[in-house]
Amino acid sequence: MTYHPFSLYGQARPGRWCVTCDHATNFVPAEVNGGSLGLPAAEMARHIAFDPGAAGVTLALAEALNGPAICSNFSRLVIDPNRGEDDPTLLMKLYDGTIIPGNRAAGPEELDRRKTLCYRPYHDALTALLASRAAPVLCSIHSFTPKLKGRPARPWQIGVLHSHVDPVLAHALIARLRQESDLVVGDNEPYGGHLPGDAVDRHALQHGRPNVLIELRQDLIETEAQQAAWAKRLAPMLEDALATTGL
């Protein structure tokens, strides 16, 4: 069976929004260490391997926005598609206190092999998807763990990340989210919003496309019902935010 490093959904939908999930799965292709990175299942189920819940939100949100979705089909521990090609964290050997045995001996040749197998096909597909559409808007969906090892609990239910290069849509969405009395909204929290060469930079900022990256706390999107509920809630707020910008 041929390995496919990404999945595309709803290509025929006419909406402007293109919803992406860079860290959709914890899958390790058979072509990488026989399909294992040497970690127990409990570690592969953690946020270090993927963004739990994000894929379900992505698919439901794309449907609600009447646009397409693209999801990766490889663990971020295989190679991280939300990093530039020369980023030193592209292939992690230690993550949140966990050593990744299958990456321990991975050198430049193995890194390039994984780029060819997973990373470049995913980005090529996203490039083609966006280029095929009129005035696309990129919405990248991620999720974050409620607490990193040895760190305080994170208070935000949702974070909106953005770059100084183009924060317009992100700022509009933050303002809209903060109208909701039950939400603690992170502005470039729990992470900073700009890494040169990351997926948003590569596919939106470098092309002048409107963009926003949303982080949802993982304990709030554990079930399919929770994922659908967040998508239903976010879709009109994203539309409102885009409308206020006039983009």
Side-chain angles (χ1 to χ4, degrees):
M1 184 179 293
T2 304
Y3 168 64
H4 296 285
F6 61 89
S7 297
L8 272 170
Y9 306 87
Q11 286 175 273
R13 296 174 190 150
R16 290 182 65 192
W17 293 93
C18 295
V19 189
T20 66
C21 190
D22 299 327
H23 302 143
T25 178
N26 59 3
F27 181 68
V28 180
E31 293 85 348
V32 177
N33 293 326
S36 171
L37 294 174
L39 290 172
E43 290 285 356
M44 289 300 294
R46 294 179 62 217
H47 71 99
I48 63 171
F50 72 126
D51 281 358
V57 174
T58 296
L59 298 186
L61 184 59
E63 185 174 6
L65 292 167
N66 200 27
I70 183 169
C71 295
S72 66
N73 189 28
F74 51 93
S75 170
R76 68 192 301 169
L77 294 179
V78 171
I79 191 167
D80 193 335
N82 195 34
R83 297 291 184 273
E85 286 216 26
D86 59 352
D87 192 299
T89 64
L90 193 59
L91 196 158
M92 296 290 280
K93 302 189 178 187
L94 174 70
Y95 196 172
D96 195 24
T98 296
I99 294 171
I100 319 303
N103 292 348
R104 204 169 198 167
E109 287 186 8
E110 176 61 14
L111 175 60
D112 195 62
R113 196 176 72 83
R114 295 188 195 184
K115 284 180 182 178
T116 300
L117 178 70
C118 301
Y119 181 97
R120 289 174 181 141
Y122 172 76
H123 283 291
D124 288 348
L126 181 50
T127 295
L129 176 66
L130 292 166
S132 72
R133 307 183 76 84
V137 181
L138 181 65
C139 178
S140 181
I141 299 296
H142 293 255
S143 68
F144 64 95
T145 184
K147 187 178 182 298
L148 290 170
K149 286 184 177 179
R151 304 281 185 89
R154 290 163 158 175
W156 314 280
Q157 290 102 336
I158 185 170
V160 179
L161 309 191
H162 51 85
S163 167
H164 63 282
V165 176
D166 177 15
V168 175
L169 182 55
H171 284 169
L173 180 60
I174 290 167
R176 176 62 187 85
L177 287 165
R178 286 183 171 165
Q179 294 175 22
E180 306 287 303
S181 61
D182 61 324
L183 293 182
V184 179
V185 182
D187 181 346
N188 267 348
E189 297 285 1
Y191 309 107
H194 183 69
L195 286 172
D198 68 9
V200 171
D201 183 29
R202 180 171 181 159
H203 296 287
L205 298 178
Q206 293 179 22
H207 302 272
R209 292 174 177 139
N211 63 90
V212 65
L213 189 154
I214 294 172
E215 291 269 3
L216 290 162
R217 208 174 67 206
Q218 288 162 8
D219 58 317
L220 303 178
I221 53 171
E222 292 177 338
T223 69
E224 189 174 330
Q226 288 174 314
Q227 294 157 17
W230 270 101
K232 183 178 180 181
R233 186 176 189 181
L234 284 171
M237 290 195 277
L238 283 162
E239 294 279 36
D240 287 350
L242 182 62
T244 64
T245 66
L247 293 169

